[in-house]
Amino acid sequence: MGQTASQLGEHASLVVLPLFAVLTLNAGAGQLGALRAVEQAPILLLSLFVGVWVDRWRPRTVMVLADAGRALALGVAAAAGLLGGLGLPALLGVAFAVGGLSVFFDVAYQASLVRLVKRDQLVWGNSALEGSRSAAQIGGPALGGALVSVLSAPIAAASAALFFALSFVSIRSIGRGETIPERSERPPRLWRRIHEGLRFVAGDTSLRTVCLASAAFQFFFAAVMTVYLLFLPRDLRLSGTVVGLALAATGPGALLGSLLAARLPSRFGYGAVLVSAAALGDGVFLFVPALHGSSVVTVPALLAVNFVFGTFSQLVNVTVMAVRQTATPDGMQGRAAATINFVGMGLTSLGSLLGGFLAEVWGTRTSLLVTAAGMLLSPALMALSPLTRLGRTLPALPETEVPSA
């Protein structure tokens, strides 16, 4: 319940802030790229430090504090907007705060399941949790886009704040059942623990490949989305409500992908599923630049593209998470997740800036085609790695343990 509410708030805010900048503040391509870059910069700045903290504290504590902070930030933004004082500089500050607190929540979330269920239940557990996130992906963008169009950006921000508050209350009720990481009397220094996480991920072939493939995908996907959010309202002349509904189509697809993730890897092999799903999910964006004409034609096409992308990207997400959790000892879960986030998503801010730059220089259609083609580098890296040889069952955790937490 808490994760679903938190994801509703996050996906609503991901639509509310860019649409507010484009439709209300008349932000240009470069300014929108800057907004998205500011929101994503905390991934690069904070992930490694957050991983150390998550390995030392209850994930629940980290998640509830992150929810409280995001609710407060968006609540302040809503109040300022209603008073007419929410300009682009203030919007950048809110985006950075929400992005930074989301790093805390996401790393803790990825480490929490291992402390609640047995390892042989991880695929099922991830499938269930990602299914709830898929439900949020259905409602979040549509709700955010509709509220911006029908009411106002401040009201939309306030609604996202309420979802984060609901998540705070729900996750705070988690009590017994969550294990606490063991702590030594004098824990190693912060930088040493960060180095341990980096060394562990770099030394594991599967995790190293996941890092590189994730970095390629997230960089180009950030560029695609920056151009995409300009292309839909300006080139295709779609309203904020329709933009939100089009993006929300990833939700039903992601729900289907979560269900498929509980079955396909054990039937066809983890490696085969990862490569084929990534190729199909990323490749579908190549059709977007070809869209022209009235909304009667373009909207169904956009819904289909987002549905296919949601299905196969979620299948990749759940499968990759199971691979990472299975290959990582309990005392390293937070740092492993944070290291992959750092490497995989740390370049998203640069990708957003690239998308804004290309849209200004080449126009949105050409930029969409180039950046969408770049996303295919991710499945190519996985196809050329030993990750493709993963079979129907994941290897057991090695006997060698990592340094004590």
Side-chain angles (χ1 to χ4, degrees):
M1 288 176 58
Q3 185 240 18
T4 302
S6 180
Q7 290 294 321
L8 272 171
E10 183 169 343
H11 286 286
S13 65
L14 288 176
V15 174
V16 168
L17 298 182
L19 285 180
F20 183 90
V22 173
L23 300 177
T24 305
L25 301 179
N26 295 316
Q31 291 174 315
L32 181 61
L35 175 67
R36 288 178 51 79
V38 165
E39 188 174 22
Q40 295 156 347
I43 299 171
L44 182 64
L45 299 175
L46 299 177
S47 290
L48 295 179
F49 302 101
V50 173
V52 173
W53 292 326
V54 168
D55 279 338
R56 295 283 297 168
W57 301 98
R58 286 182 184 270
R60 181 197 69 170
T61 302
V62 178
M63 287 190 285
V64 296
L65 291 176
D67 276 333
R70 289 186 289 186
L72 179 62
L74 287 172
V76 170
L82 289 172
L83 295 174
L86 189 64
L88 187 59
L91 202 62
L92 291 173
V94 171
F96 184 82
V98 172
L101 291 166
S102 294
V103 173
F104 279 87
F105 186 94
D106 291 343
V107 172
Y109 159 69
Q110 293 182 54
S112 63
L113 188 64
V114 180
R115 297 172 186 171
L116 291 170
V117 303
K118 297 178 180 178
R119 286 184 178 269
D120 59 2
Q121 297 174 311
L122 286 175
V123 174
W124 175 86
N126 281 314
S127 177
L129 281 176
E130 292 299 308
S132 76
R133 186 170 75 165
S134 303
Q137 287 177 327
I138 298 172
L143 177 64
L147 289 175
V148 170
S149 294
V150 177
L151 298 174
S152 66
I155 300 258
S159 70
L162 289 176
F163 283 119
F164 286 129
L166 177 60
S167 177
F168 169 86
V169 173
S170 182
I171 294 178
R172 191 169 181 270
S173 68
I174 297 175
R176 296 179 181 178
E178 183 190 37
T179 61
I180 305 174
E182 295 182 2
R183 303 181 187 177
S184 58
E185 293 183 1
R186 300 183 65 180
R189 292 181 178 180
L190 178 66
W191 290 108
R192 178 183 167 187
R193 291 169 59 78
I194 289 175
H195 180 259
E196 289 170 357
L198 291 168
R199 186 178 61 186
F200 176 77
V201 172
D204 186 282
T205 303
S206 296
L207 298 184
R208 185 171 64 247
T209 302
V210 166
C211 267
L212 296 175
S214 177
F217 168 78
Q218 295 294 347
F219 176 79
F220 285 105
F221 181 64
V224 165
M225 287 306 296
T226 299
V227 184
Y228 195 54
L229 289 170
L230 290 166
F231 180 69
L232 298 188
R234 292 187 175 174
D235 290 63
L236 300 184
R237 301 186 181 281
L238 302 179
S239 68
T241 301
V242 176
V243 171
L245 288 172
L247 295 175
T250 59
L255 181 59
L256 175 60
S258 297
L259 298 175
L260 293 176
R263 299 176 179 272
L264 295 186
S266 60
R267 182 173 182 181
F268 298 105
Y270 283 80
V273 168
L274 279 174
V275 174
S276 58
L280 291 170
D282 297 348
V284 74
F285 267 103
L286 291 171
F287 293 98
V288 176
L291 295 179
H292 291 81
S294 67
S295 59
V296 176
V297 176
T298 57
V299 172
L302 287 171
L303 292 173
V305 167
N306 284 303
F307 179 84
V308 172
F309 172 74
T311 299
F312 291 107
S313 65
Q314 186 73 322
L315 178 55
V316 173
N317 288 341
V318 176
T319 307
V320 162
M321 195 174 295
V323 170
R324 193 228 353 126
Q325 290 171 336
T326 303
T328 306
D330 287 350
M332 188 64 73
Q333 288 288 338
R335 281 171 286 172
T339 299
I340 292 175
N341 277 6
F342 173 77
V343 177
M345 299 185 68
L347 297 178
T348 52
S349 57
L350 297 179
S352 295
L353 291 174
L354 175 66
F357 173 77
L358 292 180
E360 286 186 334
V361 176
W362 291 347
T364 53
R365 291 188 187 276
T366 302
S367 300
L368 269 176
L369 183 62
V370 172
T371 53
M375 289 170 62
L376 292 174
L377 179 60
S378 176
L381 288 171
M382 288 192 285
L384 296 174
S385 76
L387 199 64
T388 57
R389 296 198 291 268
L390 289 176
R392 298 178 181 179
T393 58
L394 292 173
L397 190 67
E399 295 290 336
T400 304
E401 284 294 330
V402 299
S404 172

